[in-house]
Amino acid sequence: VSLGMYTPEAVKNMSEGQQLNYISNNLKQEELMWAKIFEKAKQRNCIIVFAAGNDNVISGIDPKKRSNESIRVSAVNTEQTKANFSNYGVYPNLNRIYSTISAPGVGIFSAAPHGKYMNMQGTSMAAPIVTGAVALMKSIDKNITLEQVVKFMQETGKNVGGSIGPMLNLKKAVMRANGQNAPTECEEIAEEVKRLQAKIDSLVALCPDAGEPADTLKYDKAVKDKHGLDGLWKS
């Protein structure tokens, strides 16, 4: 579903905290109406995918994009970070998630009016990618639930920043739906090595000797030995 409400300028200029308060107190009847739609969809095991919107605000400003009974898709750019226009909103501490998953939404070669094709951008470019993933997962298991789809996508997706959902990894998500464990990619291993090295560096900064081999006899200790041992010894 690629549609959304007009976001007033006053809302666009609000802080995130003010936007969260706006969501809590406005358009509640519309929110309730959409909750009933999602309930009917769930009864028929129909998974609804929304484009999160392009106003760089919390997606839940739009009442139809407040429920976890749907998938809200944010857009990432070619650097695999949040596109500057994309709506967002991940607040696990508040149990409020307005961006379920993300997908490429910048420089997407797409159909245009009058029989043309062109590079386009927007969460409306990202949402169909996720919809295609849902369709592939349903082709494996027609009874797959929304909760399973979201779980597989989020667990196999790439972290692209805390304000939006992880970026879809199509191959891995579909493999999980097929009961397979996706292999670890070299890129992910390299990122994990960097993360661990950064942690090691921060610990060594706190305790410089922590990086020394355990079997090294240190000079200062050696010269203070009662036998007058001098030099540096290492097994």
Side-chain angles (χ1 to χ4, degrees):
V1 182
S2 180
L3 55 85
M5 62 170 279
Y6 169 76
T7 304
E9 285 298 320
V11 174
K12 292 181 183 179
N13 294 325
M14 288 180 179
S15 67
E16 282 189 57
Q18 290 171 325
Q19 290 180 41
L20 288 169
N21 286 334
Y22 179 92
I23 292 168
S24 298
N25 297 294
N26 290 274
L27 304 172
K28 305 307 285 185
Q29 286 299 317
E30 289 87 343
E31 182 180 334
L32 179 62
M33 181 195 75
W34 281 98
K36 293 182 181 297
I37 293 172
F38 299 141
E39 182 181 347
K40 294 292 184 182
K42 191 170 185 178
Q43 290 171 2
R44 292 159 176 78
N45 200 23
C46 175
I47 297 175
I48 298 177
V49 180
F50 279 115
N54 306 321
D55 292 317
N56 193 31
V57 296
I58 298 174
S59 178
I61 293 294
D62 187 334
K64 70 178 70 65
K65 298 167 187 174
R66 296 177 182 175
S67 172
N68 290 334
E69 297 300 328
S70 66
I71 296 175
R72 283 70 39 84
V73 185
S74 295
V76 298
N77 56 29
T78 53
E79 285 75 42
Q80 297 184 5
T81 59
K82 186 185 95 65
N84 57 9
F85 56 79
S86 177
N87 287 0
Y88 57 87
V90 178
Y91 307 96
N93 293 339
L94 301 175
N95 194 29
R96 296 169 74 172
I97 306 297
Y98 303 111
S99 172
T100 316
I101 198 81
S102 58
V106 174
I108 307 300
F109 196 61
S110 185
H114 310 296
K116 296 180 180 179
Y117 287 83
M118 59 187 293
N119 286 324
M120 301 177 71
Q121 68 177 31
T123 56
S124 292
M125 299 292 104
I129 297 172
V130 174
T131 304
V134 174
L136 287 171
M137 295 163 94
K138 276 188 167 285
S139 74
I140 294 168
D141 177 8
K142 67 179 181 180
N143 295 316
I144 195 169
T145 65
L146 167 69
E147 290 76 16
Q148 289 173 312
V149 165
V150 170
K151 181 174 185 287
F152 295 155
M153 286 183 174
Q154 290 184 337
E155 288 182 351
T156 60
K158 179 180 180 180
N159 183 356
V160 287
S163 67
I164 60 175
M167 185 176 72
L168 173 72
N169 185 312
L170 180 59
K171 175 183 176 181
K172 290 185 177 181
V174 173
M175 287 183 71
R176 284 291 303 278
N178 200 31
Q180 300 172 278
N181 288 322
T184 303
E185 304 287 350
C186 289
E187 181 183 348
E188 292 176 342
I189 293 175
E191 288 184 0
E192 181 67 5
V193 168
K194 288 180 183 178
R195 187 187 68 80
L196 292 172
Q197 186 60 55
K199 187 172 183 180
I200 290 170
D201 292 343
S202 66
L203 291 173
V204 169
L206 294 173
C207 182
D209 288 344
E212 294 292 331
D215 58 358
T216 297
L217 182 63
K218 295 177 178 59
Y219 180 81
D220 287 346
K221 181 178 179 181
V223 297
K224 292 178 182 177
D225 188 274
K226 63 183 178 179
H227 300 296
L229 186 65
D230 195 4
L232 183 68
W233 298 81
K234 181 178 179 181
S235 65

